[in-house]
């Protein structure tokens, strides 16, 4: 709970503010989440409990909705997600049709610790195409203070690419970092980056939840 609403409801409310999202669905294998979403008037789909990854769950839903060319995956632990972030990722992908995927990042704040493995880092080239994602500090420097970019857990896919994603070769990068997107990179596909000016914190730990609750209080949301 964050105030008098669940985290998934806050994520749903803020995602609905996007100018470009045509249909918003919560995909879950947990009846409690399904019932919660239906209870606040959202749309939810029960998916198989046997999926190994969230991407596999997304593929199941994409196979049921044939009329969309782009599929956006928003994590359920992003209660403060900004509509500008969602719209920025979608617009960036539309501007770069050769990207099979698009995602987002934000510069680390001074108070954030880039050594925290829960804060995934990304490096990208001058074409805003990702080169690597890591839980370690990248780029590494002993003398200069590099600018770290925190990866944000949002993915936009060409639907045709998404439907074949789980057929890509297993990636040792993915296994080492426990990051699904590395499977696409290691197979040579393009992941474009939208650089956000700011972004709310995803809830990965109980400590994160308290930070988000305090932030919501300062914003007058709870």
């Amino acid at each position: 709970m964050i105030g008098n609403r669940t985290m998934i409801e806050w994520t749903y409310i803020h995602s609905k503010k996007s100018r470009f999202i045509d249909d918003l669905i919560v995909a879950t294998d947990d009846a409690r989440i399904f019932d919660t979403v239906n209870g606040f008037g959202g749309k939810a789909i029960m998916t198989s409990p046997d999926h190994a990854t969230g991407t596999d769950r997304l593929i199941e839903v994409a196979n049921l909705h044939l009329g969309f060319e782009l599929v956006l995956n928003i994590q359920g632990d992003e209660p403060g997600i900004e509509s500008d972030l969602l719209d920025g990722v979608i617009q960036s992908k539309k501007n770069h049709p050769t990207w099979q995927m698009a995602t987002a990042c934000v510069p680390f704040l001074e108070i954030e610790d880039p050594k925290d493995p829960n804060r995934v880092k990304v490096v990208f080239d001058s074409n805003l195409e990702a080169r690597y994602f890591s839980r370690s500090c990248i780029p590494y420097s002993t003398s200069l203070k590099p600018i770290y970019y925190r990866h944000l857990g949002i993915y936009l896919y060409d639907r045709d690419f998404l439907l074949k994603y789980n057929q890509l070769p297993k990636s040792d990068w993915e296994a080492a970092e426990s990051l699904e997107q590395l499977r696409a990179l290691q197979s040579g596909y393009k992941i474009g980056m939208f650089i956000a000016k700011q972004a709310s914190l995803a809830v990965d730990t109980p400590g994160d939840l308290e930070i988000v609750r305090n932030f919501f209080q300062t914003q007058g949301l709870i």
Side-chain angles (χ1 to χ4, degrees), residues 58-207:
L58 191 66
I59 290 170
E60 178 181 342
V61 178
N63 272 312
L64 299 174
H65 292 72
L66 305 179
F68 298 104
E69 295 180 2
L70 299 176
V71 180
L72 181 67
N73 186 9
I74 303 168
Q75 306 293 336
D77 59 4
E78 297 270 2
I81 196 163
E82 298 87 353
S83 58
D84 287 348
L85 169 62
L86 301 175
D87 292 344
V89 171
I90 295 169
Q91 190 61 60
S92 294
K93 175 69 180 72
K94 289 182 176 181
N95 292 342
H96 297 84
T98 60
W99 293 352
Q100 285 80 32
M101 294 173 58
T103 185
C105 62
V106 65
F108 265 72
L109 299 174
E110 288 289 336
I111 61 172
E112 291 183 289
D113 181 8
K115 298 185 182 68
D116 184 347
N118 290 313
R119 307 287 184 259
V120 175
K121 278 67 66 176
V122 58
V123 289
F124 49 88
D125 63 22
S126 58
N127 295 317
L128 296 179
E129 294 177 4
R131 288 306 179 198
Y132 195 68
F133 299 83
S134 182
R135 298 185 182 277
S136 299
C137 291
I138 53 172
Y140 176 79
S141 175
T142 57
S143 56
L144 300 176
K145 186 177 181 181
I147 298 176
Y148 294 104
Y149 286 91
R150 174 167 60 92
H151 177 231
L152 306 174
I154 176 174
Y155 300 97
L156 181 63
Y157 300 84
D158 280 329
R159 183 177 176 277
D160 291 344
F161 174 68
L162 173 65
L163 294 182
K164 66 180 182 182
Y165 195 90
N166 56 8
Q167 300 170 27
L168 297 178
K170 296 297 182 182
S171 163
D172 52 359
W173 295 354
E174 176 187 9
E177 299 271 9
S178 190
L179 297 172
E180 289 181 65
Q181 66 270 32
L182 289 173
R183 189 186 315 182
L185 274 191
Q186 194 164 10
S187 292
Y189 292 99
K190 293 181 179 180
I191 303 178
M193 302 300 305
F194 170 71
I195 304 174
K197 294 180 180 179
Q198 60 183 10
S200 61
L201 185 66
V203 178
D204 294 314
T205 67

